[in-house]
Amino acid sequence: MVVSPVKAAIFDLDGTLLDSMGVWNQIDIDFLGRRGIAVPDDYMSTVASMQFRQIAEYTIDRFALQETPEQVMAEWDEMAHAAYATQVMPKAGAIAYLNELKRFGVKLGVATTLLPKLREAALAHLGIAECFDAVVSVDDAGGVGKSKPDVYLLAARRLGAEPSDCIVFEDLLVGIRSAKSAGMHVWAMYDDSSSADWPEIERIADGALHDFYEAPRNW
């Protein structure tokens, strides 16, 4: 497929640019396991597009926990920070692709649900923090999750690009739908956490990837 020329590329982090969803799977197992609870099959997919505090509130409500959202988020943050700062790896071909886009003059942005402390740790660990011209989260977009296109539109504005001039890389079905609804080109990155949605993802995305070696280069 030939992609129209674009001015900006916007990347999700968890499950797209970062091979990190296994970190959260383990955190879910360990966090709920400490409370004698097994992780339900639908839990990860349900919370995947939520803002961090929303996930904490949902988890407290669903499992009738006694902690406050602040206590839950602090525990998750402590569990995750070490992994993001030292262990998380990029998806195959990701760093080379970012450098290639920079050489082509494409503006690069991040649209993520990750808290600043975690995304900064991961980007610094991988040595790619300086690649990006804008980094925004759902918190920057008024706390609206990826079920709406706000975070992608904010990233586009900060990159100085119209939505139609942007390509978004995303692994979540809900995010892909939102970015498409905003008139952006959207390429899907396969991640095990979204495997159940993959047939629908392939149907609606402009293209589908299993690594960044396959990513579009017709700029």
Side-chain angles (χ1 to χ4, degrees):
M1 175 180 178
V2 177
V3 176
S4 300
V6 299
K7 296 179 181 178
I10 300 169
F11 296 83
D12 169 59
L13 290 181
D14 274 335
T16 300
L17 198 62
L18 305 179
D19 193 8
S20 55
M21 298 308 284
V23 169
W24 289 105
N25 289 337
Q26 191 59 50
I27 287 173
D28 292 339
I29 292 169
D30 293 343
F31 176 84
L32 291 176
R34 292 173 182 176
R35 293 152 177 84
I37 302 168
V39 180
D41 291 341
D42 68 331
Y43 177 76
M44 189 68 176
S45 60
T46 300
V47 304
S49 66
M50 292 181 185
Q51 183 260 0
F52 203 56
R53 186 181 182 87
Q54 289 177 314
I55 300 174
E57 292 171 346
Y58 171 82
T59 301
I60 290 167
D61 289 342
R62 178 161 183 178
F63 302 110
L65 304 183
Q66 299 304 307
E67 291 98 330
T68 65
E70 288 74 18
Q71 290 171 324
V72 169
M73 290 188 292
E75 186 170 343
W76 285 341
D77 185 63
E78 181 180 355
M79 296 169 77
H81 186 263
Y84 276 85
T86 62
Q87 301 172 20
V88 167
M89 298 300 291
K91 287 291 181 83
I95 294 178
Y97 188 60
L98 292 175
N99 290 331
E100 188 174 349
L101 295 184
K102 293 291 282 187
R103 290 196 299 272
F104 289 158
V106 177
K107 294 288 187 181
L108 302 183
V110 165
T112 182
T113 60
L114 272 180
L115 292 177
K117 183 177 180 180
L118 298 183
R119 68 179 184 246
E120 290 165 7
L123 296 179
H125 163 58
L126 297 176
I128 57 175
E130 299 304 315
C131 288
F132 297 101
D133 302 287
V135 177
V136 300
S137 74
V138 292
D139 296 300
D140 299 317
V144 176
K146 287 190 171 181
S147 59
K148 294 185 178 179
D150 298 48
V151 69
Y152 306 107
L153 292 171
L154 178 59
R157 288 197 298 273
R158 293 193 179 177
L159 293 170
E162 294 296 323
S164 60
D165 293 328
C166 297
I167 184 169
V168 171
F169 295 90
E170 177 65 75
D171 68 304
L172 292 177
L173 175 59
V174 65
I176 291 165
R177 283 176 172 155
S178 292
K180 288 284 289 181
S181 75
M184 298 175 168
H185 306 283
V186 184
W187 278 62
M189 174 59 70
Y190 179 82
D191 193 74
D192 287 343
S193 63
S194 298
S195 60
D197 293 327
W198 191 243
E200 180 65 7
I201 287 172
E202 286 189 299
R203 188 184 71 81
I204 67 173
D206 295 300
L209 309 170
H210 282 77
D211 57 54
F212 281 99
Y213 298 117
E214 305 170 350
R217 286 168 168 82
N218 294 323
W219 306 99

